[in-house]
Amino acid sequence: MAATGVLLVAVMIAGVSIGPVTLGWWEVLHALVDADSPDSPLVRDVRAPRVVVAGVVGAALAGVGAVMQAVFRNPLADPGITGVASGAAVGAVVVLVSGTTVLGSASVPLGAFAGAAVAALSLLLVARMRADASPVAFVLVGITVGSFCSAVTAALVANAPTDSAVRSVMFWVNGDLTSRTWTDVWLSLPPILLGAAVLVSRHRVLDALLLGEPTATSMGVDVRREQLVLLLAGALVTGAAVAVTGVIAFVGLVVPHAVRLVLGTRHRILLPASMLSGAIFLILTDLAARMLFDPVVLQTGTVAALVGSPVFAWLVLRSGSHQADAA
């Protein structure tokens, strides 16, 4: 854990240092401390907020992924399973297609967060309508919400007034960190910290849920109530993360799966390790998106999918071969 924390700091400094104009580590630290430094605008206003957003969102998605995989006892579960990401996409697309700029640069993130909130409220509505709501019911609601939101998004894009609006929508839906500002950090950080605190505090509950509902109940866990709390907290974190970056896949799927193979299933260690690793993964992914094909810049979500899909395939094959050897 300590080594991972040190690695995260090193990766963040590298993310701020490396770019079309590469700076030394000392120059980066000097620019952060001294506002009069000639490199200060580049470091403080352009690269630093982008790296911080990548770290916060990467940690959020990986942490929620670890929780969803425990709640559903399925290593293929990810933060998008509740449909909140799809709801955020609709909110953002509405703002982009309509051209609304009432709230300035915060218009798209706030629109996305509003869409995510509506999707999360649908989960709460299911919980209130069905006292015995199970994770399966939430998955079905998530699939329903996701399908409905995809249809709404397609309809909005098909009727977009300009080609530039369509490009903006496609750019956002695929996930990217271009032009992130400190406003995005302050918009996403409070709900992510609140939701993450709830998730981490439930590490013993998550360990019990992995043993199955009957065993967890015998250990004194109110399974239905805890599942609802975990799902809603996960929805809050996912919505806040997606609101500022768009939909970035594979972070919440690959990272906790890989960390679990290395460190085991105890969530007291698994959750913070997944969050730190998710932050590292997304910062490096964003750095690759900026520099891999310079001067051509790829979207962060595109690079995450290009890296995450083969890595996840390798992890699945590796775990399958180990199970076969054990048998």
Side-chain angles (χ1 to χ4, degrees), residues 35 89 111 115 131 135 151 157 199 214-215 221 262 267-268 294 302 305 325:
V157 172
L199 296 178
T215 303
V221 176
V262 176
H267 287 85
R268 183 175 64 87
D294 185 52
T302 300
D325 292 341

Side-chain angles (χ1 to χ4, degrees), residues 33-275:
V33 174
D34 184 5
D36 295 327
S37 168
D39 299 317
S40 182
L42 174 63
V43 171
R44 289 190 174 197
D45 301 329
V46 178
R47 293 184 182 173
R50 180 169 182 161
V51 169
V52 172
V53 168
V56 170
V57 171
L61 295 177
V64 175
V67 170
M68 295 299 106
Q69 290 169 11
V71 170
F72 296 103
R73 299 179 64 198
N74 187 339
L76 299 180
D78 70 348
I81 198 169
T82 57
V84 172
S86 299
V90 171
V93 170
V94 168
V95 174
L96 291 170
V97 171
S98 65
T100 301
T101 57
V102 175
L103 299 173
S105 61
S107 298
V108 173
L110 289 175
F113 191 76
V118 172
L121 287 174
S122 68
L123 292 176
L124 182 60
L125 181 62
V126 169
R128 290 187 175 277
M129 292 177 63
R130 295 186 54 175
D132 61 339
S134 66
V136 175
F138 285 107
V139 170
L140 294 176
V141 173
I143 293 173
T144 302
V145 171
S147 299
F148 178 80
C149 290
S150 296
V152 173
T153 300
L156 290 170
V157 172
N159 292 278
T162 62
D163 292 340
S164 61
V166 174
R167 286 193 295 271
S168 297
V169 168
M170 299 309 298
F171 201 76
W172 191 92
V173 169
N174 289 327
D176 194 65
L177 295 171
T178 302
S179 302
R180 297 305 93 190
T181 66
W182 290 112
T183 299
D184 298 303
V185 176
W186 306 133
L187 283 174
S188 61
L189 196 57
I192 286 177
L193 289 178
L194 175 62
V198 173
L199 296 178
V200 172
S201 69
R202 272 14 189 223
H203 64 88
R204 292 189 179 87
V205 172
L206 291 167
D207 289 341
L209 291 177
L210 282 179
L211 302 175
E213 292 187 17
T215 303
T217 301
S218 69
M219 295 171 65
V221 176
D222 187 340
V223 174
R224 291 290 179 262
R225 182 176 67 83
E226 293 297 337
Q227 286 174 339
L228 175 62
V229 171
L230 290 168
L231 286 167
L232 291 178
L236 174 66
V237 174
T238 302
V242 172
V244 295
T245 62
V247 181
I248 298 179
F250 284 101
V251 180
L253 181 62
V254 173
V255 173
H257 191 79
V259 173
R260 186 180 292 105
L261 292 177
V262 176
L263 298 180
T265 58
R266 293 184 61 189
H267 287 85
R268 183 175 64 87
I269 299 173
L270 177 62
L271 275 179
S274 294
M275 291 178 179

